[in-house]
Amino acid sequence: MPGFRHVRRSLQHPVHRGSSVRQRHLAGLAVATVIALGAGLPAPVLAVADGATLFVNPVSGCTDTGSGTQAAPFCTIQAAVDAAQPGQTVQVAAATYREQVTLTHSGEPGKPITVRGGDIRNGLSTLPLVGFDPGGTAADHGFVLNGVHDVTITGLGIRGSLGAVQLADTQLVTLDGNIMGGSTSGPQTAGIHLSGTTASTTISRNIVRGLARTAIVVDAGVTGTILTTNAVDNQAGGAGIQITDAPGTVITSNTVSSVCGPAIGLLGNSSKAVVENNVLATGFDTGKNAPACDPSQGTAKLSVSADSVPGTVADYNLADPFGNAPVYNWAGTSYATAADFTKAVPQQGAHDITADPHYSGNPDTALPIGSNSPGIDSADANAPGELTTDLYGYQRIDDPAFPNTGTGSGYYDRGAFEFTTSSRSVAVEVQPRQIPAGASTTLTLHDFGSWSPVVSYTVDFGDGTPTVTTTQFSVQHTYQTAGSYQATVVATEQNGDTTTTGDTTVQVSPPGLLVPKLTSSRNSNPLGYDFSDFGSTSPWSLESFSFDFGDGSSPVTTTDVITGTSHTYANEGDYTVTLTVTDTGGRSEKTSQLLHVAYQAGAFHPTTPMRLLDTRTLPSSVAAGGTFDLQLLPNYSNYFGYQQPTAVVLNVTAVSKGRDGHVTVYPTGSKQPTTSSVNYVGGQAVPNLITVPVGPTGAVSFANSWGGDVDLVVDISGFYSTDLSSGSRFTPLTPARLVDTRNGDTGGKLGPDSTRNIKVAGSGGVPANATAVILNLTGTDATETTHLDVAPSGTSGYGASNLNPVPGQDRANQVIVPLGPDGSINVYNHAGSTDIVLDVFGYYSPDGKGLFTPTTPTRLLDTRTTGTPLSRDSQTSLQIAGTGNVPANATGAVLNVTATDSTAPSYLTVFPDGQTRPGTSNLNAQPGVDVPNHVTTPLGTDGRVDVYNHDGTTDVLADLLGYFTAG
């Protein structure tokens, strides 16, 4: 649909892989949501209390000695934090910062120094990257905080070869909404490390990756740490969160992945801890983690030392064990399941679950839960450190498909992610997307959410006009000035979450005309063309395109400006093609072009003769006046090398059921021509070679005259296609006699069921590299009715026939046959004995010049209508080049020549005008019989051929089957 831009948001959270995050163009609740902490614990303040904002952006014009204005920003984060005062924000632009940032300045209570980047929802690629190096190395740490207080770091991608963030002897530090991890090439490191007298640290809504060691490490002496709503992963077999001799730590609503170490470990004396609402995961990618340890010997998901048990609460956790590892190790005793743990340790784990969390997305992600997770609507909303929003800032929401089994509100989800429709799919359709200045367009909103209804839409049209807030799904707007504008829609849900759709560009142009443009080009079908409307212009969006191909077929209408349409014509000729373009302003314009439709020149691909059809094996013959369609494609696609043949060379034998008549062969789908291809005699089998184009459906048709019922035997010996790289080209020769067994050549007559090998290459002008030859085969003095089969040497068996000699008649048929590896052919005689005469007329080879262009069979000569039959020892001249579809530069022609009403046995010779008549023949005329033959002949310099009659009087018919040009 024109103007439709669909921004898809699945009912799962963005997928994270390694150090990249799928981008989300979502606006809404800031990552700086205030965290409601337990009694006596301060709330991290992410907003700037007062004072200026210092800007960091490593662009041209930046300076580390200035004041950090937006016009002249700092180049490095270090310079900015060195200059920052309490209450100021260091705003860091998305870029790569190859530095370790060491904070030496502190904020004040209520006035923290804030280092801010972007929104974690939009992905790692949109965040400032601190400590990173595109070459694969990293600084020792991204951030080092030593002895400072009242500092907030949010919205950054942070990495370090020795750990992302190191805190020592700090107070009131908040790490919120970051993506952090160690280096893949450095030593075993933690993502975040707290040590010394560090106190009142809040680590919330981060994605933290540890490599080989523990992802988050809290060492002895650290107090008041809150770890809430983080996705914690150890990708190399270590632990997730490790607390050692640090009492009073709050670990709430985290999704923690580990394999070889505990997801959460309370070591030494880490008593009075809170471990609630966590998802203790098996691993983001078990296939990657498993080699680091023996899964059967894996450690418990939650491991609590004996000295850490007093005052510690573990409840509402969802654990997914790996292999045979236990879920709990409590004071040195392991428990396989939550049920075992609760039974053995009263008042602990009463609401814990041991089950598959049913993660959504790829297992190498931050593991958001899926739509069927037991963690949905089952958390303790009153747990210390619990947030009202999840890792991406989405509001907690009641899933109507699940009972509320949690405490407090009852519908908080366990882990760092809320399964929510806030990642809903909202699409904006702009119609029309392109308009002239002063015209209106309509923005239609398509909302695919379900749980939390949208209460309003706020539309920014992008042109500086006031935003519009509406509850309607459709908004109209008029753009007054030409330009490109991006409209943005923010959907606000009942629970307060927002979803932003973007990339809905409206193109406003100056007023102008609708100008259609039509282009055409050939395609692979014999008479196929591609038509395009590309390049048509209008200040309005183009709505539809209608193609009339000018041949009486139904017009084709499309809305696709890129692909256009294709059409295959049934017949050659000149056609007027018309394109009608309609725009969304209600205007229509037409353009036309005259298209000359003709077959393309092609090379010859000789093949071993093969039988395609024998109606004698079918239930019925081809009735008088009937037609039989032979489907070549796709039935014989392999035979054609999966090419698109433009024409095929067929030997067609008509076996009459008792009456004389003729068969016309033509491309299926085209109009039946008024020509004949095979003239059959009652009670006899009469063959003729035919070159015929392939119809648009990949078929050729055989139309029987009203003479009588007839059987058809069809053999194929090659085809033409536009693949010039692998095909052969034609070279004509002065006709030369290769064999005449009447003179004793090759051993005299062919006996019954006998084969004669005849060397062709090296004779009559045929070179050694010839792939196929054009021969005229004549059978004479046959003692019985028989058939002659010609095939390349080296082939076994004969599945095709070329000529059907009968006693008392000289019969001829042209043969196009591939040469065997030794440059020879085999001629097989079926019954009795017969003499044969072989004349060569040309050959095909890779270095030849002639390319063949087929034509729908067209009658060029019929002396019956001119009243001038050929008399004894006379000839007539026939103009071919420059007539009809034949170009003036044609060098040769393929004809079907028929002798009829002959008064005496005779022969006809076809040869180039202006040249000496050769001592060969093309067909043998007989009184009372219509005798056709396939003729391949060069043209004289004037583009003409001559037809000579030896004896008696005969009428001559000549039908054009195609022509050669030098290519």
Side-chain angles (χ1 to χ4, degrees), residues 211-234:
L211 296 168
R213 276 194 60 195
T214 304
I216 299 177
V217 174
V218 179
D219 279 349
V222 177
T223 59
T225 303
I226 298 177
L227 301 168
T228 180
T229 322
N230 300 284
V232 180
D233 173 28
N234 193 307

Side-chain angles (χ1 to χ4, degrees), residues 40-56:
L41 298 177
V45 180
L46 304 187
V48 178
D50 60 294
T53 298
L54 307 180
F55 293 92
V56 181

Side-chain angles (χ1 to χ4, degrees), residues 622-626 656-662 680 682 704-710:
V622 182
S656 170
K657 291 299 186 73
R659 298 180 60 185
D660 296 352
H662 67 267
Y680 56 82
N704 186 19
S705 67
W706 289 97
D709 293 355
V710 67

Side-chain angles (χ1 to χ4, degrees), residues 676-916:
S676 61
S677 304
V678 184
N679 296 81
Y680 56 82
V681 178
Q684 295 187 15
V686 179
N688 196 27
L689 192 69
I690 301 296
T691 300
V692 60
V694 177
T697 61
V700 294
S701 295
F702 301 80
N704 186 19
S705 67
W706 289 97
D709 293 355
V710 67
D711 276 313
L712 297 176
V713 180
V714 180
D715 304 319
I716 184 170
S717 57
F719 64 95
Y720 294 93
S721 84
T722 55
D723 178 10
L724 307 183
S725 62
S726 61
S728 298
R729 306 183 185 209
F730 176 65
T731 300
L733 294 172
T734 300
R737 183 145 292 173
L738 298 182
V739 172
D740 188 341
T741 60
R742 296 173 299 181
N743 300 328
D745 291 351
T746 68
K749 275 190 173 184
L750 274 71
D753 194 27
S754 65
T755 299
R756 190 71 50 84
N757 179 265
I758 300 171
K759 181 73 171 180
V760 176
S763 302
V766 179
N769 70 336
T771 59
V773 290
I774 297 180
L775 305 173
N776 204 67
L777 171 65
T778 302
T780 183
D781 296 330
T783 61
E784 293 184 32
T785 298
T786 184
H787 61 80
L788 298 175
D789 306 337
V790 184
S793 63
T795 58
S796 60
Y798 292 87
S801 67
N802 298 93
L803 185 66
N804 298 77
V806 295
Q809 292 185 17
D810 294 338
R811 286 193 170 184
N813 193 21
Q814 193 164 88
V815 176
I816 300 178
V817 59
L819 296 181
D822 60 353
S824 300
I825 62 172
N826 289 336
V827 181
Y828 168 80
N829 175 45
H830 174 61
S833 61
T834 184
D835 279 309
I836 63 169
V837 179
L838 278 175
D839 300 325
V840 62
F841 286 81
Y843 64 89
Y844 293 91
S845 66
D847 56 356
K849 301 297 183 183
L851 295 177
F852 180 71
T853 302
T855 64
T856 303
T858 305
R859 181 142 293 172
L860 300 181
L861 173 68
D862 187 345
T863 61
R864 297 173 304 180
T865 62
T866 63
T868 54
L870 291 182
S871 59
R872 182 178 182 274
D873 196 29
S874 67
Q875 64 188 48
T876 185
S877 181
L878 179 62
Q879 183 70 45
I880 295 180
T883 62
N885 287 325
V886 183
N889 66 338
T891 59
V894 177
L895 307 171
N896 193 66
V897 178
T898 303
T900 185
D901 297 329
S902 302
T903 61
S906 180
Y907 63 83
L908 300 183
T909 300
V910 182
F911 60 99
D913 184 62
Q915 296 186 16
T916 301

